[in-house]
Amino acid sequence: MADTTSVVLHSLPTDSHHCNTGRVYGNDFADPDQPPGSGLLDEVADAERELRARNAQDVGAGDAGAGSDYFAALVAADQKIEPRDWMPDGYRATLIRQMAQHAHSEIIGMQPEANWITRAPSLKRKAILLAKVQDEAGHGLYLYAATETLGVSRDALYELLLGGKQKYSSIFNYPTLTWADIGAIGWLVDGAAIVNQVPLCRCSYGPYARAMIRICKEESFHQRQGFEILHTLAHGTPQQKAMAQDAVDRWWYPSLAMFGPPDTDSTHSAQSMAWKIKRFSNDDLRQRFVDMCAQQATVLGLTLPDPDLRWNPERGAYDYTPPDYAELMEVIRGNGPCNRQRMAHHRAAHEDGAWVREAASAYAAKRAARAAAPQPSELTHV
Ligand SMILES: [Fe+2]
Ligand SMILES: [Fe+2]
């Protein structure tokens, strides 16, 4: 795999030498005016180091009394809340809602990309896309497992999704019309996901934070493969470049909407920030994403579909046109281009897979019974 990656990276044209450095390539983006080590992946590595160091520290939270005092002391000390720790009901409910929605998004998000596995333009592209879609299944698995530590079963979470009581990210209700959409999804959708998820590596709930560290490392590959697909198309024939531009035009605003409603309308933010589940506001994260993409688009040779996008030296950030939040709310309400199709496909796959779940349960029960039964050597001594 390492060899394949290096071939892909080295095949990038030399006129875009920044592609392969920590400056604007993939999610290694770092502000050139900042010291090295301030990219998103560096933040993931910092969060992992911090997690290990905090675990080793005794903050005396155990002396702070039971229940809410202990919880507050752990959160204040930036230590992790673990499944057996006391936690407020609202904290548990918020995490179940957020983590389940995240898990559902990983699973439903496989559909628009799987649409192109059979039509990928080469064996190499097919193998890369297959690996990426399988990664998303793995992300769903980690996140369902992490959500189960809060006392809810995966079956129950599936029922809530299928019953329309829990959501998944609205972005996956848009169609993938051309091969270039796979590039745009990797660059923009996985890119937005990483910007959202890197701060979650420092989330106060241990199982979620640990899952996010691993997921962010894998998302890095996803964003790079999308960037590389678009880069190849943008430097190909005029038709290929037009196809890449069309995909970016269609995916830009839905990607901006992935950060949720503006801060003024965000219902869950203040409490989530106080509990250290969320670290930055929706608008702060959206701005960070815009700043990252504006520079990367230049390297790609593509244009972001926003005539008002320009650097604002006073703010030290790009001014941009926000997404259409009314459209976002419509898609969340179930009226996006592919909502019904996605749920129908998911329901059919769930029903088709019933025999696999039954067989796996029967096999597990048989193994458990065998393990509990006396071994032949024990029998001979009876
Ligand atoms: Fe993922
Ligand atoms: Fe991904």
Side-chain angles (χ1 to χ4, degrees), residues 106 132 136 139 190 219 222:
E106 301 283 358
K132 188 210 182 230
E136 304 301 5
H139 296 174
D190 288 280
E219 294 294 359
H222 299 172

Side-chain angles (χ1 to χ4, degrees), residues 111 338-351:
Q111 289 188 39
C338 299
N339 292 59
R340 285 167 193 80
Q341 181 187 334
R342 300 289 183 241
M343 285 310 296
H345 183 90
H346 189 66
R347 192 168 286 112
H350 188 65
E351 286 164 10

Side-chain angles (χ1 to χ4, degrees), residues 75-347:
V75 172
D78 273 332
Q79 279 221 341
K80 301 301 172 201
I81 307 298
E82 296 298 340
R84 288 181 190 164
D85 292 336
W86 181 91
M87 61 187 81
D89 290 344
Y91 179 83
R92 186 185 299 274
T94 299
L95 281 171
I96 289 175
R97 178 184 55 77
Q98 181 173 334
M99 291 166 67
Q101 175 167 329
H102 195 160
H104 299 327
S105 302
E106 301 283 358
I107 298 300
I108 300 284
M110 295 164 73
Q111 289 188 39
E113 292 189 281
N115 182 34
W116 281 91
I117 289 175
T118 54
R119 291 174 288 160
S122 71
L123 183 59
K124 183 184 86 172
R125 295 294 185 199
K126 189 193 287 264
I128 293 171
L129 183 57
L130 262 176
K132 188 210 182 230
V133 173
Q134 284 177 336
D135 276 358
E136 304 301 5
H139 296 174
L141 182 67
Y142 311 156
L143 288 166
Y144 281 124
T147 314
E148 284 186 299
T149 66
L150 291 158
V152 57
S153 74
R154 199 179 312 179
D155 285 346
L157 297 173
Y158 254 61
E159 287 307 316
L160 288 167
L161 173 66
L162 292 170
K165 298 210 168 61
Q166 282 183 341
K167 306 281 184 201
Y168 56 89
S169 176
S170 58
I171 192 77
F172 300 118
N173 292 312
Y174 289 86
T176 40
L177 303 179
T178 71
W179 168 251
D181 286 29
I182 300 304
I185 287 183
W187 180 44
L188 295 174
V189 177
D190 288 280
I194 295 165
V195 171
N196 249 328
Q197 291 170 4
V198 165
L200 290 172
C201 296
R202 288 194 164 87
C203 162
S204 57
Y205 189 56
Y208 196 24
R210 290 189 287 271
M212 291 320 304
I213 287 173
R214 181 159 176 184
I215 288 174
C216 283
K217 289 178 182 176
E218 293 176 354
E219 294 294 359
S220 157
F221 153 65
H222 299 172
Q223 203 229 12
R224 284 161 186 245
Q225 65 88 38
F227 183 95
E228 201 267 337
I229 288 172
L230 286 181
H231 192 278
T232 304
L233 291 172
H235 292 78
T237 64
Q239 289 88 344
Q240 286 172 324
K241 183 167 184 179
M243 188 166 79
Q245 184 62 58
D246 170 63
V248 169
D249 290 349
R250 284 182 288 107
W251 287 93
W252 173 245
Y253 283 106
S255 301
L256 283 189
M258 284 175 70
F259 295 92
D263 292 349
T264 43
D265 300 343
S266 185
T267 43
H268 302 292
S269 282
Q271 182 60 72
S272 284
M273 296 268 234
W275 279 329
K276 295 188 182 170
I277 294 173
K278 196 177 166 107
R279 298 285 179 148
F280 299 99
S281 77
N282 293 356
D283 288 337
D284 286 349
L285 293 170
R286 194 169 2 247
Q287 180 71 60
R288 184 173 193 175
F289 177 68
V290 170
D291 293 346
M292 188 172 99
C293 292
Q295 297 193 37
Q296 293 183 355
T298 316
V299 177
L300 286 171
L302 297 172
T303 317
L304 294 172
D306 181 358
D308 295 326
L309 182 75
R310 62 180 57 85
W311 179 250
N312 181 333
E314 279 160 33
R315 289 200 309 119
Y318 282 84
D319 291 336
Y320 67 97
T321 307
D324 180 352
Y325 294 114
E327 177 181 316
L328 172 66
M329 296 319 292
E330 266 309 290
V331 180
I332 290 174
R333 274 194 284 267
N335 299 320
C338 299
N339 292 59
R340 285 167 193 80
Q341 181 187 334
R342 300 289 183 241
M343 285 310 296
H345 183 90
H346 189 66
R347 192 168 286 112

